[in-house]
């Protein structure tokens, strides 16, 4: 409704400007409407984002009032509304505000655990997912130590569910993925021995699970291999890192063959990791492989932008970092600007993450 009204207002302003300019300044009858279109085209997206955030905040306020009278019914709805509110704030780069909203969401999930022990299993899964989202925001805010603490609680909760209710492969996979996330956080904290041990634990668990149902858990296996390779590279184990990154690429290529483009974003990510590792030994091959991935994702995004833009964004980011690592900082900055512009226009919730990834060698995010 809001977008329809915005379009009608835009058309009305353009038509009015055209009529007035034709009467008063006939020579400007074409130029002035174009100026109005360009100006409103830049103005409307921020207005739309502001309106959406305001609407989500109003919805959360309403649910807060309702939850006081009937918490069991309305607290889950409030938690879901807060999740949307936090994501919208993150999409505008307001990470600290998103963290406050996310922290409130965590508090409501704690209340649900205490007030509904008979539904503890259901609420534990939701709580763990909430903690996962919160730790990502903490990473984006540059607070890795706090993210590690939140991750530890998420891991404890997932293990509790696995132990008490003998969860199946999906629960085992969730524990392994939480372990892998922890390994990545430990690497950021430069606790490399712990990171290697934790990533190995996650990888061993995933290999056991995927042996029972290969195709279903192949994406998780590729993701854990990718994180393991990053941990090994940071610890100076380049050959091991390259082997795991290559296996992750092969897993993703199998997924592409099975499901076509559904996992192209994952292939772009692991190909970027492999290229970053290759930069140290074979920079030409690293640039070539990341460049090919940019071409593949560009082609896919032209056919279906909604589905494949995240894959293109990942490929552009990786290629920028690879070019910079290979000494081609000027080209790296050019691709970095493309990645940031793309995330701002099409996937705003990834803008903060993209900027963070590109902050580093050569000041690519500048």
């Amino acid at each position: 409704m809001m977008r329809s009204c915005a379009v009608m207002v835009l058309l009305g302003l353009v038509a009015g400007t055209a009529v007035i300019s034709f009467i008063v300044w006939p020579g400007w009858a074409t130029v002035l409407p174009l100026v109005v279109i360009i100006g409103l085209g830049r103005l409307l997206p921020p207005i739309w984002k502001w309106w959406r955030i305001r609407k989500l905040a109003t919805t959360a306020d309403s649910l807060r009032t309702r939850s006081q009278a009937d918490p069991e019914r309305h607290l889950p709805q409030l938690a879901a509304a807060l999740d949307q509110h936090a994501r919208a704030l993150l999409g505008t780069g307001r990470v600290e505000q998103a963290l406050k909203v996310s922290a409130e969401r965590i508090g409501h999930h704690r209340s649900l655990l205490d007030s509904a022990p008979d539904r503890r299993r259901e609420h534990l899964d939701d709580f763990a997912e909430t903690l996962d989202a919160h730790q990502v925001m903490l990473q984006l805010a540059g607070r890795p130590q706090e993210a590690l603490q939140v991750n530890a609680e998420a891991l404890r909760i997932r293990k509790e569910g696995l132990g008490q209710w003998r969860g199946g492969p999906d629960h085992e996979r969730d524990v392994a993925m939480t372990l892998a996330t922890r390994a990545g956080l430990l690497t950021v904290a430069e606790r490399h021995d712990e990171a290697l041990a934790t990533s190995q634990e996650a990888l061993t668990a995933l290999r056991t699970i995927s042996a029972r149902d290969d195709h279903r858990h192949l994406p998780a296996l590729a993701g854990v291999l990718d994180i393991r390779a990053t941990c090994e590279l940071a610890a100076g184990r380049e050959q091991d890192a390259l082997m795991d990154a290559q296996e992750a690429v092969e897993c993703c290529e199998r997924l592409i063959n099975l499901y076509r483009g559904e996992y192209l974003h994952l292939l772009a990510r692991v190909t970027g990791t492999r290229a970053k590792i290759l930069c140290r030994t074979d920079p030409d091959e690293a640039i070539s492989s990341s460049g090919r991935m940019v071409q593949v994702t560009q082609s896919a995004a032209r056919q279906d932008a909604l589905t494949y833009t995240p894959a293109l964004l990942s490929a552009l980011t990786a290629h920028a970092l690879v070019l910079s690592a290979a000494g081609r900082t000027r080209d790296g900055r050019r691709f970095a600007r493309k990645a940031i512009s793309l995330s701002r226009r099409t996937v705003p919730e990834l803008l903060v993450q993209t900027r963070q990834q590109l902050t580093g060698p050569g000041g690519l995010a500048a």
Side-chain angles (χ1 to χ4, degrees):
M1 178 64 72
M2 178 67 176
R3 287 184 175 178
S4 299
C5 292
V7 171
M8 294 300 294
V9 170
L10 173 62
L11 292 175
L13 285 172
V14 172
T17 304
V19 171
I20 293 170
S21 61
F22 182 77
I23 294 172
V24 182
W25 306 289
W28 290 78
T30 302
V31 176
L32 286 179
L34 287 175
V35 171
V36 171
I37 290 173
I38 294 171
L40 289 175
R42 293 183 177 181
L43 186 62
L44 285 176
I47 293 175
W48 165 250
K49 291 176 185 177
W50 173 86
W51 178 84
R52 182 167 179 266
I53 289 172
R54 186 61 191 161
K55 183 179 179 182
L56 289 168
T58 302
T59 301
D61 287 339
S62 175
L63 288 169
R64 284 189 191 96
T65 303
R66 295 181 195 177
S67 65
Q68 291 175 359
D70 189 354
E72 187 173 347
R73 178 181 177 185
H74 293 296
L75 271 185
Q77 297 174 354
L78 175 57
L82 290 171
D83 177 42
Q84 292 298 315
H85 190 195
R87 291 175 186 272
L89 287 167
L90 200 62
T92 60
R94 292 147 73 177
V95 182
E96 292 298 332
Q97 288 178 261
L99 275 170
K100 291 180 181 178
V101 174
S102 179
E104 181 187 348
R105 184 186 174 206
I106 288 174
H108 293 315
H109 276 292
R110 290 190 197 280
S111 298
L112 286 168
L113 284 175
D114 295 336
S115 61
D118 55 322
R119 299 176 61 187
R120 184 172 179 81
R121 181 176 185 177
E122 173 190 339
H123 292 318
L124 275 179
D125 289 340
D126 293 338
F127 189 28
E129 291 176 4
T130 301
L131 291 169
D132 286 342
H134 192 67
Q135 73 181 8
V136 170
M137 293 182 198
L138 285 168
Q139 291 179 65
L140 294 176
R143 293 152 65 176
Q145 291 301 324
E146 293 175 65
L148 264 172
Q149 294 173 7
V150 173
N151 173 269
E153 185 173 10
L155 183 60
R156 178 182 60 78
I157 288 170
R158 293 196 188 281
K159 286 186 174 181
E160 177 187 334
L162 186 63
Q164 288 192 14
W165 294 289
R166 299 182 182 277
D170 288 350
H171 285 85
E172 294 177 34
R173 180 199 60 212
D174 290 343
V175 170
M177 294 304 293
T178 306
L179 281 167
T181 301
R182 183 167 187 78
L185 289 168
L186 288 166
T187 296
V188 172
E190 298 186 352
R191 293 160 59 178
H192 298 302
D193 290 341
E194 294 175 72
L196 288 171
T198 304
S199 63
Q200 183 58 56
E201 183 182 353
L203 183 57
T204 300
L206 250 301
R207 289 197 190 282
T208 302
I209 300 166
S210 61
R212 306 176 208 151
D213 190 350
D214 185 21
H215 295 167
R216 184 177 181 186
H217 299 290
L218 203 56
L221 178 60
V224 171
L225 283 164
D226 183 63
I227 292 174
R228 170 76 174 167
T230 302
C231 295
E232 289 169 329
L233 181 63
R237 296 167 54 172
E238 294 180 9
Q239 289 302 315
D240 292 337
L242 187 57
M243 289 174 60
D244 284 331
Q246 181 59 40
E247 185 179 353
V249 170
E250 291 168 1
C251 287
C252 288
E253 288 174 345
R254 287 176 59 194
L255 285 167
I256 296 296
N257 290 333
L258 288 167
Y259 306 106
R260 298 190 179 181
E262 185 176 346
Y263 291 99
L264 188 60
H265 66 286
L266 185 57
L267 177 61
R269 192 179 97 199
V270 301
T271 300
T273 300
R274 178 179 174 274
K276 292 170 199 172
I277 298 168
L278 274 174
C279 266
R280 303 192 179 188
T281 57
D282 192 347
D284 291 338
E285 173 58 25
I287 293 171
S288 177
S289 64
S290 62
R292 285 195 301 269
M293 185 51 59
V294 169
Q295 293 174 353
V296 169
T297 52
Q298 278 178 333
S299 177
R302 278 194 288 266
Q303 298 177 21
D304 187 347
L306 183 64
T307 301
Y308 297 116
T309 292
L312 174 57
L313 182 58
S314 180
L316 287 169
T317 303
H319 194 48
L321 292 171
V322 167
L323 286 166
S324 177
R328 293 171 54 179
T329 306
R330 190 171 184 175
D331 291 333
R333 285 178 177 163
R334 179 164 56 88
F335 279 93
R337 286 193 293 269
K338 288 183 179 180
I340 291 171
S341 175
L342 181 66
S343 63
R344 181 184 291 115
R345 287 185 288 108
T346 58
V347 197
E349 60 269 25
L350 295 180
L351 177 59
V352 177
Q353 185 176 359
T354 303
R355 282 187 178 277
Q356 188 186 61
Q357 287 177 304
L358 291 170
T359 299
L364 291 178

